[in-house]
Amino acid sequence: MLTKMENQQKKGLFKDGNNRKKYEKAAEIFFLANAAIAIVSVFAIALFIFYKGLQPFMPLNEEGTYSFIDFITGTQWRPHDEISQAAYGIFYMIIGSIFSATGAIILGVPLGILTAVFMAEIAPKPIAKLMRTAVELLAGIPSVFFGIFGLGFIVPKIMASSPYSQGQSLLAVILVLTIMILPTIISLAENAIRAVPDTFRQGSYALGASKIYTIFKVVLPAAKSGILAGVVLGTGRAIGETMAVMLVAGNPIAGIPTSIWAPVRPMTTNIALEMGYAFGLHQEMLFATGVVLFIFIMIINIVFNKIAYGMKSS
Amino acid sequence: MKSNTLKSYKERLQYLLVYGSAIISFGILLVIVGYIFYQGVGHLSIGFLKNDYDSKTVYATVSVDELGFSLEKDEEGNYVIDDITNIDITNTAKDPQGNEVDFDRGDNIISINMKNIEALDQEAINQLIDDGDGETLIKLKKAGGGIFPMIITTLIIIVSSLIVAVPIGIFSAIYLTEYAKQGKLIRIIRFSVECLAGIPSIIYGLFGMLFFVTMLNFNYSVLSGALTISIVLLPIIIRTTEESLKTVPMSYREASLGLGGTKIQTIMKVIIPSALPGIMTAVILSIGRIIGESAALLLTAGTAAKIPDGLLSSGSTLTVKAYLIAKEEGDIAAACAIGVIIISIILLLNLITKMIAKRRQAL
């Protein structure tokens, strides 16, 4: 592109100012077109998934129709049964996803924030630097390996203390997800804590407050919105995580989890587990699961955007 | 006085919580990396890196009078090649279709001249070859259990998705920093990029499957996978490039425009070259993301454990294979061995990014 432009310049195409303006305009449109790909992608992704995922609830669908209410409130997923008896209920998966994400947030958020406090306020510089590298590495490990770690390390440990015989459980999912959202929460919380102006701390010290008092009563409240953004982002990760969860969730075909020892089947793993061989109504139902997941993620994204935007303007 | 000690108890507890959390977080990382290395390192070998995943049985006709390799009994009592002493055996070996056959260490020899050699000793095997007047038919089983096809697939997907995503990402970033005025359009673009960053990989997989695999009829192929991943990469590349474009001083632009350069010349010859380290960082981050990606690729590139014949052929990357090995074969050690390789690569990529950032600061 560059050489073409240079050639044209050598030929004197640009001597005319009008032409030059046109060329500039064309370049701007070219760059805009590239930037628009992001918009088009989001729309295309939403459109395609909604189009395919809403098919089963439309009357006169070729593959057969299914009641939307049954889909959203059902607690059984039996796609392989006889057509008249097949059930596609994802209510227990929605609950599974929410429980897993909530559990991970309950464990991961305090752990992450306190670690960030240590790194930003207490640790000597070299240690903070070392820990930051460690957090980066933790963030870089592909999700599958958290699942493999969970399957090889956490699941057998749970099996030893669980009242049930299987270790693949809600607890395993929560633990794996906690580890996976830690880097997100730590790095966002650390940034937020570091962004708190020093005058806040000095003011607190001047009033005779101790260091730890200042951290908990002054610094953390001041860094609230940044930390909250980290929490929301972490929730998004926890809801959307697939491969690691699939290895440790147990993925039962029915049943709302009633204890942390019970196996779960979050929405993401439902899709990834069966998509490889599904067809017809079964496949459309997996896309419908994707629609519900997509709506969850979009709500989280919009909340995150609001928080992040609010942070910038304040 | 009483309240003072109470306060100090509370403070001690708070310190305990902070130190405890830091130790737990740091400890978790050590346990995970330690576990993967502990399980995986023992499984690593040259064969693991360069063998096919599936073992393959082939017949080869060899025109030599002597064995040309030394044999060794493995744990299951099969003869495997221990060392190749006569290079001719590989040069002249042909399968029935006339293709060359390589003999490698670790390959399992099943029969020579149609006679099963499992029960024979070395002496008798040599005798067998002598009997076959210069043309020896060897049935051998090429060792499997390796990840070579997955390494190649991963490389193909890295290269092809970067080719698609990097230019689009850079041009988008240029629009956002150099052209766009604050307003609705730029907010929509920013919001889209945020959304793309937040969409989970499995949703990308669904989209890729519907659009590239089914609608465009690319089937499960590295092309479908690469195109899907390209969209995944867009936010990383756009954001990182944008950051580096913003750090190019205004004076550079003013100088270029002042010398009579057009805006496009300024962008191509001044801004992009000075933002190059940031663009490099974007590429490296993208490579890390591609290597780590699995859910989207599972649904678009397929799971075939072979070297893809072309862009329209299916293949699984290292992480997808690691998942399958852990899930379907329950072989944690082999999956961790892949983990060792990948974590080492990620560490290396982190190191390179750091070096680039440092050099940039020094400038």
Side-chain angles (χ1 to χ4, degrees):
Chain A
M1 219 201 89
L2 191 67
T3 51
K4 201 173 162 192
M5 187 187 81
E6 281 170 344
N7 283 338
Q8 281 175 332
Q9 267 177 326
K10 272 179 202 150
K11 282 180 203 154
L13 264 176
F14 285 142
K15 274 183 188 146
D16 181 2
N18 220 357
N19 242 339
R20 177 167 156 169
K21 247 183 210 152
K22 262 187 205 158
Y23 195 83
E24 288 287 290
K25 194 74 200 161
E28 181 174 349
I29 291 170
F30 172 73
F31 289 127
L32 173 63
N34 278 287
I37 290 178
I39 309 177
V40 174
S41 304
V42 173
F43 271 102
I45 290 171
L47 196 77
F48 273 92
I49 289 172
F50 275 81
Y51 174 74
K52 184 90 173 170
L54 294 179
Q55 290 286 318
F57 313 116
M58 300 293 166
L60 299 176
N61 180 35
E62 278 174 53
E63 314 286 354
T65 44
Y66 196 82
S67 147
F68 181 73
I69 303 292
D70 288 351
F71 170 71
I72 211 82
T73 60
T75 56
Q76 297 206 0
W77 182 265
R78 299 185 188 279
H80 305 301
D81 288 14
E82 292 283 315
I83 293 176
S84 57
Q85 270 152 22
Y88 301 95
I90 65 158
F91 183 66
Y92 78 102
M93 301 179 201
I94 298 176
I95 298 294
S97 283
I98 293 176
F99 279 2
S100 322
T102 316
I105 291 296
I106 289 172
L107 285 182
V109 166
L111 197 60
I113 294 176
L114 292 173
T115 307
V117 165
F118 179 77
M119 286 161 70
E121 298 283 324
I122 295 174
K125 256 196 184 148
I127 292 182
K129 207 173 156 192
L130 180 74
M131 289 188 72
R132 217 165 295 135
T133 317
V135 170
E136 270 168 38
L137 179 61
L138 199 59
I141 297 176
S143 61
V144 171
F145 297 105
F146 288 100
I148 290 166
F149 169 75
L151 190 64
F153 188 83
I154 296 175
V155 166
K157 291 250 180 320
I158 291 176
M159 229 187 300
S161 49
S162 165
Y164 302 105
S165 58
Q166 98 281 27
Q168 290 171 324
S169 58
L170 178 59
L171 179 63
V173 175
I174 290 176
L175 291 178
V176 167
L177 285 178
T178 304
I179 301 171
M180 295 184 71
I181 63 170
L182 264 186
T184 312
I185 292 176
I186 293 177
S187 51
L188 268 107
E190 202 207 350
N191 283 340
I193 291 169
R194 280 183 192 279
V196 174
D198 247 352
T199 48
F200 282 38
R201 295 182 188 89
Q202 285 153 5
S204 172
Y205 292 149
L207 289 169
S210 65
K211 183 169 187 174
I212 197 85
Y213 187 86
T214 307
I215 290 172
F216 278 90
K217 295 282 168 170
V218 178
V219 176
L220 281 183
K224 199 175 59 191
S225 61
I227 294 174
L228 200 61
V231 173
V232 177
L233 207 60
T235 315
R237 291 268 151 81
I239 292 262
E241 179 47 47
T242 312
M243 303 299 271
V245 170
M246 197 148 60
L247 286 168
V248 299
N251 307 305
I253 56 163
I256 297 170
T258 49
S259 77
I260 52 166
W261 309 109
V264 286
R265 186 185 184 113
M267 291 182 279
T268 48
T269 71
N270 186 44
I271 302 168
L273 265 180
E274 295 176 1
M275 204 37 138
Y277 59 85
F279 58 90
L281 186 64
H282 181 196
Q283 193 189 46
E284 289 176 344
M285 282 302 184
L286 295 175
F287 275 93
T289 315
V291 170
V292 178
L293 179 67
F294 193 86
I295 292 171
F296 266 80
I297 293 293
M298 271 316 183
I299 293 171
I300 290 168
N301 265 1
I302 290 167
V303 172
F304 173 71
N305 218 270
K306 279 263 171 340
I307 295 173
Y309 198 72
M311 249 163 56
K312 256 179 212 154
S313 56
S314 67
Chain B
M1 203 56 207
K2 202 181 170 194
S3 76
N4 221 345
T5 44
L6 252 179
K7 206 172 178 184
S8 85
Y9 273 128
K10 198 179 161 199
E11 292 200 345
R12 263 186 225 166
L13 184 70
Q14 285 172 329
Y15 269 113
L16 197 74
L17 279 175
V18 171
Y19 278 94
S21 301
I23 291 169
I24 292 173
S25 300
F26 201 63
I28 285 172
L29 175 87
L30 288 182
V31 171
I32 291 179
V33 175
Y35 178 83
I36 291 174
F37 274 77
Y38 175 75
Q39 293 278 334
V41 166
H43 203 88
L44 281 177
S45 64
I46 300 292
F48 184 69
L49 290 178
K50 74 174 191 38
N51 283 355
D52 271 352
Y53 185 74
D54 298 313
S55 56
K56 200 168 85 188
T57 308
V58 280
Y59 282 96
T61 317
V62 188
S63 347
V64 282
D65 296 328
E66 52 174 335
L67 196 51
F69 45 72
S70 59
L71 291 172
E72 198 186 53
K73 283 242 177 194
D74 70 3
E75 294 134 24
E76 284 129 47
N78 299 316
Y79 274 113
V80 294
I81 299 176
D82 180 41
D83 200 13
I84 297 188
T85 49
N86 181 358
I87 206 75
D88 274 354
I89 192 142
T90 4
N91 289 343
T92 59
K94 295 264 195 296
D95 70 3
Q97 282 83 41
N99 302 317
E100 275 182 35
V101 177
D102 282 325
F103 284 70
D104 290 306
R105 273 195 64 183
D107 289 351
N108 178 7
I109 305 291
I110 299 170
S111 73
I112 292 174
N113 286 336
M114 303 307 275
K115 195 160 174 2
N116 198 313
I117 62 166
E118 205 175 316
L120 304 178
D121 58 10
Q122 297 257 4
E123 195 78 1
I125 293 169
N126 282 333
Q127 192 58 45
L128 257 179
I129 291 175
D130 274 345
D131 292 348
D133 53 316
E135 287 276 308
T136 313
L137 184 67
I138 297 177
K139 181 181 179 185
L140 87 160
K141 201 160 130 198
K142 302 286 291 178
I147 55 164
F148 186 68
M150 277 60 89
I151 295 177
I152 299 298
T153 310
T154 309
L155 286 176
I156 296 174
I157 290 194
I158 288 176
V159 172
S160 41
S161 49
L162 285 180
I163 288 175
V164 179
V166 169
I168 297 177
I170 293 175
F171 293 145
S172 307
I174 289 175
Y175 182 78
L176 286 173
T177 48
E178 307 296 324
Y179 286 97
K181 294 160 200 78
Q182 283 303 324
K184 227 182 187 139
L185 182 64
I186 197 164
R187 275 191 65 186
I188 295 175
I189 296 175
R190 286 251 150 79
F191 182 69
S192 309
V193 175
E194 290 301 321
C195 281
L196 284 181
I199 292 175
S201 158
I202 186 76
I203 298 279
Y204 281 109
L206 282 180
F207 170 71
M209 189 184 162
L210 208 52
F211 187 64
F212 298 119
V213 175
T214 318
M215 253 188 73
L216 298 185
N217 226 343
F218 292 160
N219 293 324
Y220 289 109
S221 63
V222 283
L223 182 64
S224 302
L227 289 173
T228 310
I229 295 295
S230 308
I231 309 176
V232 179
L233 297 181
L234 279 184
I236 304 170
I237 300 175
I238 293 177
R239 281 177 182 167
T240 320
T241 312
E242 232 192 309
E243 287 308 313
S244 71
L245 289 177
K246 276 184 196 153
T247 57
V248 176
M250 246 353 208
S251 55
Y252 284 29
R253 297 182 178 87
E254 284 154 6
S256 168
L257 292 171
L259 286 169
T262 62
K263 188 157 188 179
I264 184 86
Q265 281 172 330
T266 310
I267 290 169
M268 290 300 183
K269 303 216 161 148
V270 179
I271 298 175
I272 291 190
S274 38
L276 214 54
I279 294 171
M280 280 300 296
T281 312
V283 170
I284 293 166
L285 288 176
S286 306
I287 294 175
R289 181 72 203 254
I290 303 166
I291 293 175
E293 186 54 66
S294 41
L297 287 171
L298 186 72
L299 297 190
T300 52
T303 53
K306 58 173 177 54
I307 297 176
D309 303 323
L311 280 180
L312 283 172
S313 154
S314 156
S316 62
T317 59
L318 285 167
T319 35
V320 171
K321 195 69 207 174
Y323 163 76
L324 292 171
I325 291 175
K327 174 100 184 160
E328 268 145 36
E329 292 161 38
D331 191 349
I332 301 284
C336 285
I338 298 179
V340 171
I341 296 167
I342 288 181
I343 291 176
S344 312
I345 296 172
I346 302 261
L347 267 175
L348 192 74
L349 293 178
N350 270 2
L351 218 68
I352 297 172
T353 342
K354 284 248 164 72
M355 267 162 53
I356 294 175
K358 231 179 217 159
R359 267 184 55 193
R360 225 163 121 203
Q361 267 175 357
L363 278 174

